[in-house]
Amino acid sequence: MSQHDPSSPTASQHQFNPYSNTNSYADSTSTPLPEGQTTPFLSPPDLPFLNNDPQSLASTPRGSAAYADSFGQNASNANLNAGSAIGNDNDTPLMGGKEYVDDSSQGLGIIARDPTKNKPLYKRPVFWLASSAALVAIILAVILPVYFVVIKPNQNLTASGGGKTNAVTGGDGSTITKDDGSTFVYRNQFGGFWVSDPENPFLDNAQPNSWTPPLNTSWRWGVDRVNGVNLGGLFVLEPFISPALYQPFNGSAMDEWTLSTLLGDQLQSTLEEHYQTFITEEDIAQIAGAGLNWIRLPVPFWAIETWSNVGTDATTGATVSEPFLEKVCWKYILRVLGWARKYGLRVNLDLHSVPGSQNGYNHSGKGGKPNFLNGVMGVANAQRTLDYIRTFAQFISQPEYEHVVPMFGIVNEALVQVIGQDQITAFYLHAHNMIRDITGIGEGKGPYIAIHDGFIGISKWAGFLPGSDRMVLDTHPYFAFDGQPNDEPIDIPAVGGDGTTLGGQWPRQACSAWGNSVNGSRSNFGVTVAGEFSNAFNDCGLFINGVANGPRSKADCDVFTDPSKWTDNIKAGVKEFALASMDALGDWFFWTWKIGNSTAGIVQSPLWSYQLGLENGWMPTDPREAIGKCASLGVQGNPFAGTFESWQTGGAGAGTIAPSHHTLTHLYKYRRYPNFASADVLACTDQVHQCRQRMGKYR
């Protein structure tokens, strides 16, 4: 299969100028939101930027007027009108004139009691005044304690979208009623609590545990620690995570592209069943109950759109269309964001797959060769990617979502050795400027922007774009793919330990290999997280290396692909490896929360499942247990002091990238992307001001 000639605009409804930012998703008459959504919980706020002039970003998410009818201007007007109707009612009992008449004889225009009537006690005002006073006293004695203990705390809960609420909330032992009416009991031994109000779905008051700030308060980088987990395989399918979806095709389904093609007219029903059942609300509640505080949520570009023409088949000459299930997963992404909000979990939204594939791996959607910033369609696919980044950034930067999604990974695992560091740097810089044009500059204005190290090592990114605004370096350390035999035992006493802990060489190796490098990056780059890691010290597991490839490790994979064969010592050793990894990395997201059963009815990649580890004793029930593990193994690293440069966290100096690092003067160095006119590139080597004038047209 070959891609079409980039000079021939064959993509459906698109004629792409790779240098223009007006070829955005906003140009399309379609929308990434499924039609017919009526449930407020699944319906996103209004997106004016999808309907207005695509060449202008003047209509940003800050102008969202979502749910105005519920708790905004329209509701206020309705209340005023209702009050006016009541006030104009002159036929009420209090205005009947039976007890009081107008004493016009005195010319005072006041109401006086009719002296001709002898009234019994119960008709005299004194009686009613005394009775009323007694009744008020009783009411106050009963109501005030209830108000201050029960009602007032819930009334003080507010939504990021505005308005008061009568929210339901609960902690450990409370009962959760799901959308389908079924229930489960929330278990959280760490002081976490959930908050929910279906009529006001943007409440940000929940807290997953006592040591994590509630959603509506600031996250403090260097003080608060990310203890997170990925929801891998939910919206971007991977064979080893959902093997039962791939196994019926006997090796023909290699990635989501081929799986989608083979499923044919069963594609939507199959994937919607997966979206509905693979991760449920109970999973999100369990994540909070496990002492975790973040979720990394991989999402695909086809949540927004696909193209019906991306080239021609080299063999048949037929037009090739992207076979992915377009737009359908969007409503399920919103559902996960709603659950995360309910349980107080922050979300790192990660664009896991981009057009053309950024790395050629199956988890990019299409295996093969990278065709992003590389190959005949590399620049065009990069421009498409910028459009999708823009759409996601605009959506999550709205007030309704900014607390829930404070981090946005813009391209997962770009293969920099093929693409080139200069080229991906230019792309990152372009995306940074575009996102900050949407959100504004500084703390609290849109998400942190996460970039991956591209497998070239985090030290290569030291000093990256000083003066940028809230960038995060994401690294994915794995021993499983280091090409070594990795058959050393994990069920023996830990090297450097006190003789009572197990793990063999693996816990200490994690501390030595990862601790100093990650802490060094926090000093030399800025905020640095491990967006992925796992317990996989070997590559044993069904489809770990793809559908067509088995494990390379010399370990006994018959044991490590069947957790029923694990001894207590193996479980203890794996747990020690997990704890050492967590301590070394500091801020981390385990890959992944859940691995689905194979057709054999078991999890055949158990080293990758956090949930299975919790259930069977090889993952800690409290992640804080990891603190100090490396020191206990004799690994004394160089801990990060805990203070970032002001500009790195959105303070003074943020958004002041020096000209020597800016698109303006580095375009000659980064000339492969974007492919600017040579005269403009040469001008950038002469004079910064002249460069600004020439390059402004490309922004």
Side-chain angles (χ1 to χ4, degrees):
M1 184 181 298
S2 65
Q3 302 290 354
H4 73 275
D5 183 350
S7 65
S8 175
T10 57
S12 174
Q13 298 181 355
H14 291 77
Q15 296 186 8
F16 245 76
N17 174 0
Y19 317 131
S20 170
N21 68 356
T22 63
N23 298 305
S24 70
Y25 181 68
D27 293 333
S28 174
T29 57
S30 59
T31 167
L33 309 176
E35 296 180 359
Q37 293 301 312
T38 58
T39 304
F41 185 76
L42 295 182
S43 298
D46 182 33
L47 297 178
F49 46 82
L50 292 181
N51 303 317
N52 294 341
D53 181 2
Q55 299 188 33
S56 171
L57 290 179
S59 180
T60 68
R62 299 292 176 190
S64 174
Y67 294 94
D69 287 343
S70 297
F71 36 79
Q73 185 63 42
N74 292 349
S76 299
N77 290 342
N79 290 336
L80 287 174
N81 292 337
S84 298
I86 293 173
N88 291 332
D89 181 3
N90 292 322
D91 295 325
T92 61
L94 292 179
M95 302 295 290
K98 292 183 180 180
E99 301 295 333
Y100 298 92
V101 295
D102 184 359
D103 190 358
S104 57
S105 61
Q106 298 186 29
L108 299 177
I110 61 172
I111 301 296
R113 180 176 178 270
D114 189 323
T116 64
K117 299 192 177 196
N118 294 320
K119 302 200 182 297
L121 181 62
Y122 72 87
K123 289 189 176 183
R124 296 181 183 179
V126 174
F127 171 85
W128 287 110
L129 286 173
S131 300
S132 298
L135 181 60
V136 168
I138 294 172
I139 291 174
L140 290 176
V142 174
I143 296 299
L144 284 179
V146 175
Y147 175 81
F148 284 105
V149 174
V150 178
I151 299 175
K152 192 173 187 298
N154 282 339
Q155 285 186 331
N156 287 336
L157 295 175
T158 58
S160 59
K164 298 280 188 175
T165 180
N166 292 314
V168 180
T169 183
D172 185 37
S174 57
T175 298
I176 306 290
T177 301
K178 298 190 290 186
D179 292 340
D180 63 3
S182 61
T183 62
F184 66 90
V185 177
Y186 182 55
R187 297 300 181 191
N188 188 316
Q189 62 178 318
F190 305 119
F193 59 90
W194 54 271
V195 178
S196 176
D197 183 354
E199 295 183 1
N200 194 356
F202 299 121
L203 292 174
D204 292 339
N205 301 77
Q207 188 174 10
N209 49 59
S210 61
W211 61 87
T212 297
L215 285 181
N216 59 0
T217 58
S218 298
W219 182 268
R220 302 161 299 172
W221 287 102
V223 177
D224 303 314
R225 305 316 297 259
V226 175
N227 301 151
V229 68
N230 282 270
L231 298 185
L234 174 56
F235 301 122
V236 181
L237 301 184
E238 297 191 36
F240 92 96
I241 297 177
S242 301
L245 289 176
Y246 288 82
Q247 287 174 301
F249 297 100
N250 299 315
S252 297
M254 312 286 287
D255 49 31
E256 192 160 348
W257 180 291
T258 52
L259 178 66
S260 300
T261 302
L262 291 166
L263 283 171
D265 59 7
Q266 299 298 310
L267 175 61
Q268 181 160 348
S269 60
T270 300
L271 264 59
E272 285 218 70
E273 174 69 15
H274 173 75
Y275 299 154
Q276 284 275 14
T277 60
F278 187 67
I279 296 294
T280 67
E281 181 178 355
E282 195 162 357
D283 286 290
I284 306 303
Q286 289 174 3
I287 290 171
L292 303 175
N293 52 20
W294 279 73
I295 288 170
R296 184 169 178 259
L297 182 62
V299 295
F301 74 86
W302 54 87
I304 297 173
E305 69 168 2
T306 59
W307 279 14
S308 61
N309 187 338
V310 291
T312 57
D313 188 289
T315 302
T316 66
T319 299
V320 176
S321 62
E322 293 171 332
F324 305 114
L325 184 60
E326 180 184 53
K327 301 182 182 180
V328 173
C329 69
W330 183 275
K331 65 181 179 181
Y332 297 100
I333 293 172
L334 296 182
R335 185 171 71 163
V336 171
L337 296 182
W339 288 336
R341 187 196 307 274
K342 180 175 180 177
Y343 295 97
L345 297 166
R346 289 169 170 83
V347 176
N348 172 6
L349 191 74
D350 184 74
L351 185 55
H352 218 66
S353 60
V354 305
S357 175
Q358 70 274 23
N359 51 38
Y361 301 146
N362 61 30
H363 54 70
S364 70
K366 188 177 189 299
K369 295 181 179 180
N371 205 1
F372 163 83
L373 291 178
N374 182 68
V376 295
M377 284 291 289
V379 172
N381 284 329
Q383 179 61 50
R384 284 184 68 190
T385 300
L386 285 172
D387 292 338
Y388 304 142
I389 289 172
R390 177 188 292 113
T391 299
F392 278 117
Q394 288 174 323
F395 185 83
I396 63 178
S397 298
Q398 297 176 110
E400 293 84 356
Y401 287 93
E402 61 184 355
H403 294 154
V404 181
V405 190
M407 190 187 302
F408 179 26
I410 55 176
V411 179
N412 176 65
E413 294 186 350
L415 195 58
V416 173
Q417 288 180 327
V418 173
I419 295 170
Q421 187 174 8
D422 289 346
Q423 289 69 40
I424 197 68
T425 295
F427 179 86
Y428 286 159
L429 177 57
H430 197 84
H432 167 276
N433 292 344
M434 179 185 70
I435 292 171
R436 293 305 174 222
D437 282 346
I438 294 167
T439 68
I441 299 294
E443 182 180 6
K445 295 182 179 179
Y448 277 67
I449 302 169
I451 62 171
H452 185 253
D453 66 12
F455 304 115
I456 61 175
I458 55 181
S459 63
K460 296 290 182 65
W461 299 94
F464 180 78
L465 296 183
S468 57
D469 183 25
R470 291 166 294 148
M471 300 286 283
V472 176
L473 185 61
D474 179 9
T475 188
H476 300 170
Y478 292 114
F479 291 138
F481 307 119
D482 63 4
Q484 301 302 311
N486 293 346
D487 56 351
E488 293 83 0
I490 201 168
D491 57 351
I492 62 175
V495 174
D498 60 5
T500 64
T501 57
L502 302 178
Q505 72 181 41
W506 298 107
R508 184 181 174 94
Q509 185 168 321
C511 294
S512 300
W514 301 335
N516 280 343
S517 62
V518 172
N519 279 329
S521 179
R522 293 187 176 108
S523 298
N524 300 323
F525 172 93
V527 177
T528 303
V529 303
E532 298 180 18
F533 81 102
S534 76
N535 289 329
F537 64 99
N538 59 50
D539 64 349
C540 296
L542 180 64
F543 299 157
I544 290 296
N545 294 308
V547 172
N549 303 307
R552 292 182 287 266
S553 173
K554 302 301 182 182
D556 186 354
C557 287
D558 183 57
V559 170
F560 288 106
T561 55
D562 185 353
S564 69
K565 298 179 180 179
W566 289 18
T567 65
D568 288 343
N569 282 356
I570 289 178
K571 294 179 181 179
V574 171
K575 181 179 179 181
E576 290 299 314
F577 177 54
L579 292 171
S581 301
M582 293 172 180
D583 191 32
L585 298 171
D587 297 297
W588 46 263
F589 298 86
F590 187 90
W591 186 275
T592 183
W593 171 248
K594 181 179 182 178
I595 300 292
N597 286 347
S598 70
T599 53
I602 62 172
V603 172
Q604 292 192 262
S605 300
L607 289 170
W608 298 80
S609 176
Y610 202 110
Q611 183 186 55
L612 193 66
L614 282 176
E615 294 169 350
N616 291 277
W618 67 78
M619 291 301 285
T621 56
D622 184 346
R624 294 175 298 176
E625 189 180 341
I627 299 173
K629 177 58 64 176
C630 289
S632 74
L633 297 173
V635 179
Q636 302 294 336
N638 297 315
F640 176 61
T643 303
F644 292 100
E645 296 289 335
S646 177
W647 60 269
Q648 293 170 342
T649 56
T656 59
I657 301 175
S660 61
H661 291 84
H662 205 276
T663 308
L664 306 176
T665 57
H666 264 39
L667 283 177
Y668 183 75
K669 182 178 180 181
Y670 303 150
R671 60 189 176 276
R672 282 183 58 192
Y673 180 79
N675 186 16
F676 298 106
S678 58
D680 291 335
V681 174
L682 293 175
C684 289
T685 65
D686 299 331
Q687 189 177 29
V688 172
H689 178 69
Q690 184 181 5
C691 182
R692 279 199 177 95
Q693 290 180 323
R694 286 178 176 265
M695 305 319 298
K697 61 185 176 183
Y698 295 112
R699 293 195 59 183

